[in-house]
Amino acid sequence: MNLKFMASICLIFAVNTTGFAQILNLSDALQRAVDYHDKTKSKQSFVQSTVQNTRFQNKQYFPDVTFGA
């Protein structure tokens, strides 16, 4: 039983070391950061425009109230 247990543990470690992990170099990480930076900026501008649109719609929905003296 001890031999089977050790063999199964060795098999698990052997499979994990030859797994499907992706190696990420520094140059690849920097390139990904540059690629996703534009996408992040576009998403942020989309969120800002949505907030501004919501504020505009609220101003159009609610009536203007002015008090005369």
Side-chain angles (χ1 to χ4, degrees), residues 8-66:
S8 64
I9 295 296
C10 290
L11 180 65
I12 289 172
F13 284 126
V15 169
N16 283 338
T17 58
T18 61
F20 300 102
Q22 182 178 3
I23 298 172
L24 184 64
N25 298 329
L26 179 61
S27 60
D28 294 336
L30 292 174
Q31 184 61 39
R32 284 187 181 184
V34 168
D35 291 343
Y36 287 119
H37 181 68
D38 292 334
K39 293 177 184 176
T40 303
K41 285 176 64 176
S42 68
K43 297 293 182 182
Q44 286 175 345
S45 65
F46 177 74
V47 168
Q48 288 175 352
S49 66
T50 304
V51 168
Q52 289 177 357
N53 188 23
T54 303
R55 288 179 184 162
F56 176 74
Q57 294 297 327
N58 284 340
K59 287 180 182 179
Q60 294 298 317
Y61 179 75
F62 295 119
D64 293 332
V65 178
T66 55

